[in-house]
Amino acid sequence: MSNGIDLSEKLSTFSEHWSPRTVTQFNNCDVMVVKVKGEFVWHKHDDTDDFFLVLKGVLDIQLRDRTITLGSGQMYVVPKGVEHRPVAREEVHLLLIEPTGTPNTGDAATAAPRRTV
């Protein structure tokens, strides 16, 4: 990487929701941006934590016993094995970091394909 990465520019290259785009990799992890709106599926990741950083908007991360609400500049890490469901009332822009190949639904059969921008 010879230059910095402009996350806003990367986010401007697509409009689909719930379809993460990898912007770079480090230590066998994908650093991704994604636009979300509405409710995602309840899911969990048995082998890895789930990192969310809100770049724009307000995101609710529903857990079975409570809801975590995040605004711009706030982050939350869902521990591995914990069921959760992200919910965005309006469009939200996120930065995600996951081990390369982690399915966003927790199940490779239903996961969004991994794309790079």
Side-chain angles (χ1 to χ4, degrees):
M1 178 172 36
S2 60
N3 296 312
I5 297 171
D6 184 332
L7 299 178
S8 295
E9 185 275 324
K10 297 294 186 185
L11 282 156
S12 74
T13 65
F14 64 96
S15 60
E16 299 89 0
H17 294 127
W18 306 108
S19 184
R21 302 300 203 274
T22 301
V23 297
T24 193
Q25 293 182 315
F26 83 102
N27 296 332
N28 298 316
C29 289
D30 289 340
V31 178
M32 300 169 287
V33 291
V34 65
K35 294 177 179 179
V36 301
K37 186 174 180 183
E39 298 176 348
F40 199 56
V41 297
W42 281 100
H43 68 286
K44 63 182 175 136
H45 303 275
D46 291 327
D47 300 319
T48 186
D49 300 330
D50 210 356
F51 173 96
F52 296 86
L53 171 63
V54 177
L55 301 172
K56 175 183 168 188
V58 176
L59 179 73
D60 288 331
I61 300 177
Q62 295 178 342
L63 307 173
R64 291 297 185 181
D65 63 345
R66 68 187 188 283
T67 298
I68 308 296
T69 300
L70 304 173
S72 294
Q74 294 183 311
M75 61 173 273
Y76 184 73
V77 176
V78 179
K80 66 182 174 184
V82 173
E83 264 195 308
H84 59 286
R85 176 173 74 166
V87 177
R89 290 177 222 101
E90 302 293 330
E91 185 173 89
V92 175
H93 297 177
L94 302 171
L95 179 82
L96 308 174
I97 302 173
E98 302 179 337
T100 299
T102 301
N104 68 333
T105 60
D107 179 359
T110 59
R114 199 54 63 92
R115 299 180 186 154
T116 301
V117 290

